[in-house]
Amino acid sequence: MHAISMNRRIAVLVSGRGSNLQALIDAVAAKRLDATIAAVVANVAGAPALERARQAGIPAVTIAHRDFASRDLFETAVVAELRGRDVSLVCLAGFMRLLGRTYLDAFGERTLNVHPSLLPAFPGVDAQRQALEHGVKIAGATVHFVTGELDGGPIVAQGAVPVHDDDSAETLAARILAVEHRLYPEAVASVLGGGWAIQGRTYVKRVDGDGPGQTRRR
Ligand code: GRF
């Protein structure tokens, strides 16, 4: 997999609160992220993230999965919306829906997700509680490409936080969330900036001064 041409128009898929969406909006406004958020799409009507989009003047679209008879029909509608907005990168930000073949065939190599653990540890829901119950001393967040495997695609960026003895799932989640808000815009900027490749399952950036097309291998 190689860097694909990027027009810097992105969409953000959400289901809930939207604090990572807000981090992306703020990064664009502060010019830390050179991108246009062309649409925010929610699969749940009334998701608070939609209001954040409206406040920022971004088209806020609801495509409620409940309105569709199958996953395939839901994903067909999402893909049509994204194509209509001419986006070249999709960012999942608290999007609580598994994406299947119909979506992945269209945008599978162009979709990022942020997950509140140091993957491959603790995929799936309640990652912070899983980490706490496992007794790890370091936790964190991961931005990764989306594939058919749950939280399993190539890793773009990770950030770590300590786990404190007196942490609850909530205090740990809050510490990790602060990392997510810094990490996600940085990772999106890295991907949009191009000059990367996926070697095996490793995301690598070209070293400055290398010839065209050459990539670094760890
Ligand atoms: C974040 O913890 C993210 O890592 C996970 O879902 C949560 C979404 O939070 N995938 P928000 O909606 O961005 O505030």
Side-chain angles (χ1 to χ4, degrees):
M1 191 195 296
H2 286 277
I4 32 206
S5 69
M6 293 281 179
N7 66 5
R8 295 193 172 271
R9 288 173 62 78
I10 68 176
V12 185
L13 266 53
V14 296
S15 300
R17 155 181 82 169
S19 71
N20 278 289
L21 165 66
Q22 191 67 54
L24 292 168
I25 291 171
D26 294 348
V28 171
K31 301 200 186 304
R32 283 182 282 114
L33 174 58
D34 179 10
T36 300
I37 304 178
V40 170
V41 179
N43 69 314
V44 179
L50 290 167
E51 187 51 31
R52 295 182 191 263
R54 284 188 209 103
Q55 290 287 333
I58 298 166
V61 181
T62 300
I63 303 177
H65 65 269
R66 283 167 194 241
D67 293 346
F68 295 85
S70 69
R71 182 192 301 275
D72 186 43
L73 290 170
F74 165 67
E75 292 184 5
T76 300
V78 171
V79 167
E81 180 68 34
L82 298 175
R83 289 210 168 116
R85 304 272 175 188
D86 190 27
V87 303
S88 59
L89 186 68
V90 181
C91 300
L92 308 187
F95 183 71
M96 302 300 288
R97 212 63 209 155
L98 281 180
L99 290 165
R101 248 320 112 211
T102 301
Y103 176 86
L104 293 172
D105 283 349
F107 283 96
E109 292 188 353
R110 297 169 173 266
T111 302
L112 298 177
N113 181 43
V114 61
H115 182 76
S117 79
L118 292 174
L119 291 169
F122 314 126
V125 294
D126 256 342
Q128 304 94 330
R129 185 174 303 280
Q130 291 184 54
L132 213 51
E133 285 175 357
H134 196 88
V136 296
K137 302 302 184 194
I138 303 279
T142 303
V143 177
H144 63 93
F145 281 97
V146 170
T147 64
E149 189 191 345
L150 177 67
D151 299 322
I155 290 168
V156 177
Q158 290 186 302
V161 300
V163 180
H164 298 159
D165 288 346
D166 60 353
D167 266 332
S168 63
E170 290 71 30
T171 58
L172 179 58
R175 196 173 307 120
I176 293 172
L177 194 62
V179 172
E180 295 181 39
H181 294 165
R182 173 182 56 77
L183 199 66
Y184 209 2
E186 286 176 5
V188 172
S190 171
V191 170
L192 288 180
W196 54 266
I198 307 287
Q199 297 181 345
R201 51 161 299 125
T202 303
Y203 174 83
V204 286
K205 293 286 269 192
R206 194 181 298 143
V207 175
D208 283 348
D210 275 5
Q214 287 184 287
T215 48
R216 168 172 61 99
R217 194 74 182 89
R218 291 169 309 156

